[in-house]
Amino acid sequence: MAIRERLSGNEAIAFAMKQINPDVMGAFPITPSTEIPQYFASYVDNGEVDTEFIAVESEHSAMSTCIGAEAAGARAVSATSSCGLCYMTEMLYIAASDRLPITLAVSCRALSGPININNDHSDAMGVRDAGWIMLFAETNQEAYDNYLMAMRIAESVNLPIMICQDGFITSHAIENIDLVETEDVKKFVGERPLDHYLLKKDESMAVGAYATPVYYMEAKRAQAQAMIDAKDSINKISKEFGDLTGRYYDLIEKYEMDDAEVAVVMIGSSAGTAKDTINEMRQAGHKVGLVKIRAFRPFPGEEIVDAIKGLKAVAIMDKDDSFNGHCGPMYAEVCAALVSRGVSVKAINYIYGLGGRDVKVSSIEKVFGELEKIAETGNVGETYRYLEVRE
């Protein structure tokens, strides 16, 4: 039976951690993820979990703690945001290349400068190629659910995983959430499957050894294969979670796409605003839709192409920028998926919501208005656009 609660996204993540009861948490505070280790530390202090809570001097050390714990055979978790995630970058690559299934909660926040503590996706997207599985949440409920699935997904392919939510928008806002009974969580997550680990008696091994050119490329090929295999793992474990809770998730979510002529591709909480916009515009007779990406790594290229290949025009929405003078990272990924499958769709890119800039129903209406013009005239115009910015 579900437990009905009202929680912020951060508290929901911390509660999920408590239900899982990991072995080690390495933690250093940074806004807006600070509440996660703060809540979890209270569970440790109250004896509600058996976790070794290690307060360290930096985010780099927090991830180093998790790497050491996982290599030794423990389950390790952490949480961070923004510059803290950047500070972890060196260790993120090591965690992935050493195939350590660490679970990291990220409350996404803009990167400096100028200094800003509000939401965009520049932190998570900045480490998108570090080799981590990455799931994004639209709501507090989805953040909680993603976290319950995360550890099993990571351990099934021996890759670390980030559970991303939007800082302050979901991390601090309180919503109704259906929690899973703790005993059901423990059965669902299960025990960590362990074959080789540093503290295994009578087995000599090394983690993070130096790889010469004779071995390095094969190691990277195996790591790449694990990310490819993660697609099937996400689908399988999400199906099991849906059977348990009635809440089913896919790599992407299609909203009003059956007869859509134009659509937006988005990630995170702004998908909720897009849904409200679509509901209003549908009542006025506009055939508009949404493709929401839940799994950014592994990238669901085939699924996205299948969803948008029949559209007259599509806008890929990036809540950060690659500063390449051409497009944001989501647009680059989607266009690469289209080209590799020989599909042509008139596509434009919008950079939006940087540093917490409001994205309203009227903002998304403007995007759909531009898409309808493209569909009518066939003229794409400038593909690299900024939404709601004072030029």
Side-chain angles (χ1 to χ4, degrees):
M1 179 182 292
I3 307 164
R4 192 71 164 168
E5 263 291 1
R6 297 179 66 202
L7 301 173
S8 70
N10 280 346
E11 190 172 6
I13 292 291
F15 193 83
M17 287 180 177
K18 179 175 80 166
Q19 291 181 302
I20 293 169
N21 192 13
D23 299 306
V24 173
M25 183 179 204
F28 188 85
I30 184 170
T31 302
S33 67
T34 299
E35 287 181 330
I36 297 173
Q38 183 179 359
Y39 283 124
F40 193 75
S42 69
Y43 302 144
V44 175
D45 191 52
N46 294 336
E48 296 177 74
V49 293
D50 304 317
T51 308
E52 185 73 26
F53 186 93
I54 303 175
V56 295
E57 74 280 4
S58 72
E59 292 86 356
H60 187 284
S61 298
M63 186 49 55
S64 299
T65 296
C66 292
I67 288 170
E70 286 279 348
R75 277 176 162 163
V77 301
S78 190
T80 195
S81 298
S82 188
C83 301
L85 186 61
C86 289
Y87 199 8
M88 285 182 179
T89 300
E90 177 190 10
M91 307 316 292
L92 296 180
Y93 279 88
I94 291 172
S97 62
D98 286 348
R99 308 294 297 280
L100 301 173
I102 298 160
T103 307
L104 175 64
V106 179
S107 299
C108 292
R109 171 190 141 186
L111 291 173
S112 301
I115 294 172
N116 183 290
I117 63 166
N118 300 299
N119 169 251
D120 64 30
H121 297 153
S122 52
D123 51 359
M125 289 298 173
V127 296
R128 64 188 179 277
D129 293 332
W132 286 58
I133 298 167
M134 299 174 73
L135 301 183
F136 281 78
E138 175 189 343
T139 64
N140 299 13
Q141 181 74 67
E142 193 170 357
Y144 169 78
D145 292 347
N146 282 347
Y147 200 90
L148 293 186
M149 291 180 258
M151 202 167 278
R152 275 193 62 194
I153 292 168
E155 290 172 355
S156 70
V157 291
N158 286 320
L159 286 178
I161 188 167
M162 288 183 203
I163 301 304
C164 302
Q165 63 173 323
D166 285 356
F168 293 111
I169 298 172
T170 59
S171 70
H172 284 64
I174 294 174
E175 294 179 357
N176 291 325
I177 294 184
D178 288 329
L179 301 172
V180 183
E181 294 279 0
T182 298
E183 285 307 307
D184 290 334
V185 169
K186 292 189 182 305
K187 289 177 186 176
F188 177 77
V189 176
E191 297 296 323
R192 179 182 173 185
L194 280 172
D195 294 319
H196 309 286
Y197 52 99
L198 288 175
L199 296 185
K200 188 174 183 179
K201 192 174 182 295
D202 300 325
E203 181 179 30
S204 297
M205 65 172 291
V207 175
Y210 175 69
T212 67
V214 177
Y215 300 104
Y216 183 87
M217 196 161 176
E218 283 69 26
K220 287 301 173 184
R221 176 64 183 89
Q223 184 182 338
Q225 187 62 47
M227 187 62 77
I228 294 168
D229 295 341
K231 258 193 180 186
D232 288 339
S233 290
I234 293 169
N235 284 329
K236 177 179 178 291
I237 292 165
S238 296
K239 171 68 165 56
E240 290 181 31
F241 185 81
D243 293 341
L244 173 67
T245 64
R247 297 188 295 275
Y248 290 89
Y249 297 95
D250 292 314
L251 298 167
I252 65 171
E253 178 188 341
K254 293 179 282 188
Y255 189 78
E256 297 287 0
M257 287 297 294
D258 288 345
D259 65 342
E261 295 181 351
V262 299
V264 293
V265 179
M266 303 187 83
I267 202 165
S269 63
S270 298
T273 305
K275 290 175 182 177
D276 289 339
T277 308
I278 289 165
N279 293 341
E280 290 186 13
M281 294 187 71
R282 281 268 169 180
Q283 290 179 359
H286 298 271
K287 292 183 177 181
V288 296
L290 162 73
V291 176
K292 184 187 84 175
I293 298 175
R294 172 180 171 241
F296 186 74
R297 288 287 184 269
F299 190 74
E302 183 178 355
E303 291 77 7
I304 293 169
V305 170
D306 285 344
I308 68 175
K309 62 186 179 183
L311 297 175
K312 295 180 179 179
V314 63
I316 294 95
M317 312 289 291
D318 274 292
K319 210 170 190 181
D320 70 310
D321 199 343
S322 289
F323 301 106
N324 55 22
H326 172 62
C327 67
M330 285 252 294
Y331 184 81
E333 298 268 0
V334 173
C335 287
L338 288 167
V339 170
S340 67
R341 288 161 181 80
V343 176
S344 178
V345 178
K346 296 185 185 304
I348 58 174
N349 184 206
Y350 272 103
I351 310 298
Y352 77 100
L354 301 187
R357 177 66 54 91
D358 280 344
V359 181
K360 299 169 282 191
V361 167
S362 59
S363 307
I364 307 300
E365 282 178 345
K366 291 177 185 176
V367 175
F368 280 126
E370 290 298 307
L371 290 175
E372 287 175 332
K373 287 180 188 176
I374 293 168
E376 182 181 350
T377 65
N379 180 24
V380 174
E382 175 60 61
T383 58
Y384 178 41
R385 308 180 183 199
Y386 264 69
L387 181 64
E388 302 290 13
V389 66
R390 298 184 299 276
E391 295 286 3

